[in-house]
């Protein structure tokens, strides 16, 4: 329990999601089967933080306190049981219609109680321990997830589905994730990994540590982060990045309309011209799904793999007259600039979030 986020880590960055499950060929599970009325009143389980939880049976009313958990509930086909979520839960679009209980850091306990949830879903890396304790004091059960790799996201989805009484839906979603990953690894087997810098924040420059699920997603996409840090969200110097010279810069996209629309702006920012990847415009922009430990992360992994290793996705010629590559739509330069400058524009709030991406 002590690993939950503390109050000093305030939410500062939240970027809208661009891609959908269909980008990766993933589809939400069908509506989950009804839970038998003969089920016991409570089920004793252990959540992913090692905490013992008494889960009311059946679980018919769910409140989600993290965008990733809201996405997972929808992927499992359990959205009809979701009675509330946070203001940051924007995907899929229907999630925005759910009753809002505040943000992820300071949700309204009063609003949650009014919804009479059977179970509140939280995630260790984003929600506060104090929130969990307060819910417990109100007699409201909460279940915490804590995945640190893409495989753990898959297994976490299975576990959560079982807790919610829909094990078949969880198994189906997890199998689909694993199938896509297996196919991707076959495609990339002969492709050397690209050395990349994943930019979480602009100033100060923040990337991802090697034990995060984002770093694991990069590896599965045929990339390796040049930042070798034990910290989850390390601050790195641009001078050190210039010494290491990544092959590509990787950004999560945004749809903000208030930021500059040209990628050329990056090259004229102080010190960024030291990077060959900037001067040669070698960058990749992927869905913000990469920031959320939910099944849809597969779409972001596949998108990044296509951008870094287009040859691995070349289609075989139909007539046998030679190789014919499948056309890959280039990344829109405006989207790249939007992502970059949104990070730059919000840097004044970075101290409130500890430099972390709080969209999970």
């Amino acid at each position: 329990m002590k690993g939950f986020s503390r109050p000093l880590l305030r939410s500062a960055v939240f970027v809208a999601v661009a891609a959908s499950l269909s980008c990766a060929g993933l589809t939400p599970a069908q509506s989950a089967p009804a839970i038998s009325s003969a089920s016991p009143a409570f089920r004793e389980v252990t959540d992913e933080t090692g905490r013992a939880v008494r889960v009311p049976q059946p679980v018919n009313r769910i409140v989600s306190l993290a965008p990733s958990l809201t996405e997972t509930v929808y992927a499992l086909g359990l959205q009809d049981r979701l009675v509330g979520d946070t203001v940051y839960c924007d995907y899929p679009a229907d999630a925005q219609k759910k009753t809002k209980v505040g943000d992820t850091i300071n949700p309204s306990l009063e609003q949650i109680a009014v919804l009479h949830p059977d179970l509140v879903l939280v995630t260790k890396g984003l929600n506060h321990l104090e929130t969990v304790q307060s819910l417990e004091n109100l007699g409201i059960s909460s279940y915490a997830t804590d995945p640190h790799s893409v495989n753990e996201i898959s297994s976490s989805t299975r576990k959560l589905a079982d807790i919610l009484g829909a094990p078949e839906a969880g198994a189906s979603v997890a199998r689909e994730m694993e199938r896509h990953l297996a196919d991707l690894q076959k495609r990339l087997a002969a492709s050397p990994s690209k050395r990349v810098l994943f930019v979480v924040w602009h100033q100060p420059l923040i990337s991802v540590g090697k034990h995060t699920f984002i770093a694991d997603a990069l590896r599965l996409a045929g990339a390796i982060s040049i930042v070798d840090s034990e910290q989850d969200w390390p601050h790195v110097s641009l001078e050190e990045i210039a010494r290491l010279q990544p092959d590509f810069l990787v950004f999560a996209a945004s749809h903000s309309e208030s930021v500059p629309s040209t990628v050329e702006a990056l090259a004229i920012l102080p010190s960024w011209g030291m990077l060959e990847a900037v001067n040669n415009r070698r960058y990749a922009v992927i869905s913000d799904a990469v920031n959320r430990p939910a099944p849809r992360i597969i779409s972001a992994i596949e998108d990044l793999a296509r951008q870094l290793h287009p040859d691995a996705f070349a289609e075989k010629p139909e007539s046998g007259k030679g190789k014919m590559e499948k056309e890959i739509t280039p990344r829109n330069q405006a989207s790249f600039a939007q992502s970059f400058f949104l990070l730059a524009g919000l840097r004044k709030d970075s101290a409130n979030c500890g430099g972390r991406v709080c969209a999970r």
Side-chain angles (χ1 to χ4, degrees), residues 15 199 251-254 259 285 334-344:
V15 194
V199 180
F251 294 80
S254 80
V259 290
V285 182
S335 295
F336 169 81
Q338 289 171 357
S339 173
F340 182 83
F341 279 98
L342 181 61
L343 292 173

Side-chain angles (χ1 to χ4, degrees), residues 15 21-22 91 106 115 150 155 205 223 241 245-246 250 252 323 326 332 335 347 355 360:
V15 194
L21 281 168
S22 59
Y91 185 91
N106 294 302
L115 293 173
V150 176
S155 63
L205 180 57
I241 299 304
Q245 289 296 342
V250 181
K323 295 183 178 180
K326 180 178 180 180
N332 184 281
S335 295
R347 65 182 182 272
R360 300 186 294 168

Side-chain angles (χ1 to χ4, degrees), residues 178-350:
E178 292 156 7
R179 182 180 68 81
H180 278 269
L181 289 175
D183 177 69
L184 185 60
Q185 297 317 298
K186 289 180 182 178
R187 287 181 175 272
L188 298 178
S191 302
S193 295
K194 302 292 187 181
R195 299 170 62 258
V196 305
L197 171 68
F198 186 91
V199 180
V200 172
W201 207 264
H202 159 235
Q203 190 175 352
L205 180 57
I206 299 173
S207 189
V208 293
K210 61 184 179 182
H211 298 306
T212 61
F213 68 86
I214 297 178
D216 189 48
L218 295 176
R219 288 190 287 269
L220 291 170
I224 185 169
S225 174
I226 62 170
V227 177
D228 184 23
S229 175
E230 296 289 337
Q231 299 179 18
D232 285 351
W233 311 104
H235 291 226
V236 294
S237 71
L238 199 51
E239 289 74 16
E240 177 64 9
I241 299 304
R243 185 183 70 80
L244 295 172
Q245 289 296 342
D247 300 322
F248 280 83
L249 304 183
V250 181
F251 294 80
S254 80
H255 287 289
S256 172
E257 299 296 333
S258 62
V259 290
S261 59
T262 173
V263 69
E264 298 302 321
L266 180 61
I268 64 175
L269 290 177
S271 302
W272 283 84
M274 296 187 296
L275 303 185
E276 295 177 8
V278 170
N279 294 325
N280 295 320
R281 308 303 187 264
R282 294 197 302 266
Y283 61 88
V285 182
I286 57 177
S287 164
D288 194 54
V290 73
N291 289 331
R292 297 183 178 183
R296 193 168 59 96
I297 195 172
I298 302 300
S299 67
I301 294 172
E302 290 186 333
D303 186 16
L304 180 58
R306 285 180 178 276
Q307 294 182 61
L308 298 182
H309 305 284
D311 291 345
F313 295 86
E315 297 291 350
K316 294 182 179 179
E318 296 181 3
S319 62
K321 293 184 179 180
K323 295 183 178 180
M324 179 176 63
E325 291 190 358
K326 180 178 180 180
E327 180 180 357
I328 305 298
T329 303
R331 295 290 86 186
N332 184 281
Q333 289 188 341
S335 295
F336 169 81
Q338 289 171 357
S339 173
F340 182 83
F341 279 98
L342 181 61
L343 292 173
L346 292 176
R347 65 182 182 272
K348 61 181 179 298
D349 297 324
S350 63

Side-chain angles (χ1 to χ4, degrees), residues 80-145:
D80 289 344
R81 303 186 196 177
L82 186 66
V83 296
D85 60 18
T86 76
V87 294
Y88 293 147
C89 295
D90 62 348
Y91 185 91
D94 186 69
Q96 300 178 48
K97 302 175 184 178
K98 299 294 183 178
T99 299
K100 301 304 175 183
V101 298
D103 62 26
T104 58
I105 305 301
N106 294 302
S108 169
L109 297 174
E110 180 180 2
Q111 183 62 58
I112 293 173
V114 167
L115 293 173
H116 301 291
D118 297 313
L119 189 64
V120 175
L121 304 180
V122 299
T123 187
K124 180 179 176 181
L126 181 58
N127 301 115
H128 284 172
L129 174 59
E130 287 78 3
T131 298
V132 172
Q133 293 172 333
S134 296
L135 290 171
E136 185 176 345
N137 291 337
L138 292 173
I140 300 174
S141 298
S142 63
Y143 178 88
T145 62

